[in-house]
Each structure stands twice: as C-alpha cells, then as structure tokens.
Amino acid sequence: GAVVSQHPSRVICKSGTSVKIECRSLDFQATTMFWYRQFPKKSLMLMATSNEGSKATYEQGVEKDKFLINHASLTLSTLTVTSAHPEDSSFYICSARLQETQYFGPGTRLLVL
Amino acid sequence: AQSVTQPDIHITVSEGASLELRCNYSYGATPYLFWYVQSPGQGLQLLLKYFSGDTLVQGIKGFEAEFKRSQSSFNLRKPSVHWSDAAEYFCAVVGPVNFNKFYFGSGTKLNVKP
C-alpha cells in the first residue's frame, strides 16, 4: 500500500517551454503533498507544500510564478515549470503524506536544452 | 533548531558484512523517525519508522533501527549486506505536532564491495 506515482519519469524540453509533472497517490487520499528538488549528490530540497483545495506554500527562494503547483484533488498534485531554462534541469520528486509518513514518487528527470 | 545529522557521507562494506548507519537528531521533543533508501535515479523508499513503543524496529529488506533517546540517535543496521543494498540512505524526522515539516539528513552513500 501507500504507492505514489509520478509522470513523466523523464522529460526533455526546449528552453522557454513549460513542463507539467503529475504526482498521484494511487491507493490513498493525500490532503498534503510535497515537491522536492534534488541536485546531483545532494539531499532533498523542499520546494513547496501542496494542500488540496488551497494555495501551495513555497519555501524561501522558490519562485512561485515559475514553479506552479496545483492540488485539485486528494490524489493528484501537479508541478508546472514555466518558461523552463537550463538551470531548471534537475531531478524533481514528489511525496504524499499519509498520517505521519511521507511516501515518495519515483521522481522526474527534467532536462532543459 | 531542529536538525538531523548523518555523520558518514560515504561508507563501504564488503558483501556479507554487517552495517550500521548513524543518525543523530536535534529536536525540541521526541520526533517520529524514519529511514528511507534511494537507489540511483529513483525516488525514496521507506525502510522503517519509529513512533513509540519498542525502541528496536524492524523494516523491510532485513533492516532494523534502534532508537536511543539518551543519545538522540536512530541508527540503522543490517547484519549481512547484499550487493543490492548499495544506495543512498536518508534519515528523517517529523512531528510530533506538525507532520508537514520533515527534516532530512544529508544522506549516507553505501558502497558494497564484492
């Protein structure tokens, strides 16, 4: 149980385009989901906390207009990287909270050319 | 301030040898504690968690961890390491009131020698 999926697993896009990443809790409902970014050989960096039906809470230094988060249902949160640039290339991981525990998706590798 | 420390950045063990990964935390109250494992290019998989009760908890893949309140530690152990255990391991804490604020350690990368 407690499975979280992410789609796509990897995406390559051109600079200036937008990319949407989906995060789904497959067998439970998640009021709260999280979006992380992970740089090579580094720990996770929390980008934002997403609450169903309300605006996301962004961490300091994360541009909310660039990283748009929508949590329209109890099983789906989306992260849209708008006007992507090469420096946005990274590994993005979502998680969904079930009671006290976070369950993580498999991650999305984004490469912006 | 709350923090999680994993003192070992890299650890190399021989296959079949025992393993202990260290985790120390600094927290205002006794938090809920977790160990996650991340294989290259993958998300994090929950190995085990401790909330209360027996301080020795069993997890998946033959891992166990022991909570020691006096040392603010939650070390991960495995009696015999397999080559497939090579991965990055993260310790994390949350709560006990706010379950939306996780604190992660910086990770320990485990290499397994044949």
Side-chain angles (χ1 to χ4, degrees):
Chain A
V3 179
V4 177
S5 70
Q6 263 182 261
H7 179 80
S9 58
R10 56 180 62 200
V11 57
I12 301 173
C13 69
K14 293 181 179 180
S15 185
T17 61
S18 295
V19 174
K20 180 185 283 188
I21 303 170
E22 292 186 348
C23 178
R24 294 181 184 272
S25 56
L26 298 184
D27 51 1
F28 66 101
Q29 294 184 327
T31 305
T32 306
M33 292 184 172
F34 306 86
W35 287 95
Y36 294 86
R37 185 171 178 176
Q38 187 175 36
F39 295 96
K41 300 183 180 180
K42 296 290 185 183
S43 187
L44 300 169
M45 182 193 81
L46 179 65
M47 299 175 66
T49 301
S50 166
N51 292 293
E52 187 266 338
S54 64
K55 292 183 178 179
T57 302
Y58 290 81
E59 295 297 301
Q60 193 171 6
V62 177
E63 299 176 60
K64 61 179 67 176
D65 294 331
K66 180 167 192 60
F67 298 100
L68 299 179
I69 291 172
N70 183 275
H71 192 160
S73 79
L74 289 172
T75 59
L76 174 65
S77 177
T78 60
L79 168 68
T80 302
V81 183
T82 63
S83 186
H85 290 284
E87 57 266 30
D88 299 323
S89 299
S90 194
F91 191 56
Y92 294 88
I93 308 176
C94 74
S95 71
R97 184 170 69 79
L98 176 59
Q99 298 178 342
E100 310 87 353
T101 303
Q102 284 192 38
Y103 295 92
F104 288 82
T108 297
R109 175 75 59 190
L110 171 63
L111 178 60
V112 184
L113 302 176
Chain B
Q2 292 89 337
S3 66
V4 178
T5 301
Q6 292 179 244
D8 305 303
I9 299 174
H10 288 101
I11 282 186
T12 298
V13 299
S14 298
E15 191 168 14
S18 63
L19 170 70
E20 182 169 34
L21 302 182
R22 296 182 291 165
C23 173
N24 294 96
Y25 64 90
S26 174
Y27 217 76
T30 301
Y32 291 16
L33 300 126
F34 305 82
W35 274 100
Y36 290 88
V37 59
Q38 184 181 31
S39 297
Q42 300 294 316
L44 279 68
Q45 181 183 22
L46 178 67
L47 282 177
L48 47 78
K49 57 188 176 182
Y50 173 77
F51 296 160
S52 64
D54 192 345
T55 56
L56 184 64
V57 293
Q58 303 297 320
I60 62 171
K61 305 185 179 189
F63 285 92
E64 65 178 27
E66 185 172 14
F67 170 62
K68 292 186 177 180
R69 184 190 306 272
S70 61
Q71 299 177 19
S72 297
S73 69
F74 188 55
N75 293 347
L76 182 71
R77 302 194 293 248
K78 187 169 185 177
S80 178
V81 170
H82 188 263
W83 64 267
S84 60
D85 293 324
E88 185 107 29
Y89 291 80
F90 292 96
C91 180
V93 303
V94 75
V97 175
N98 182 358
F99 296 126
N100 282 342
K101 189 63 177 175
F102 258 55
Y103 295 88
F104 284 91
S106 53
T108 297
K109 183 167 184 181
L110 173 65
N111 294 315
V112 180
K113 290 190 303 185

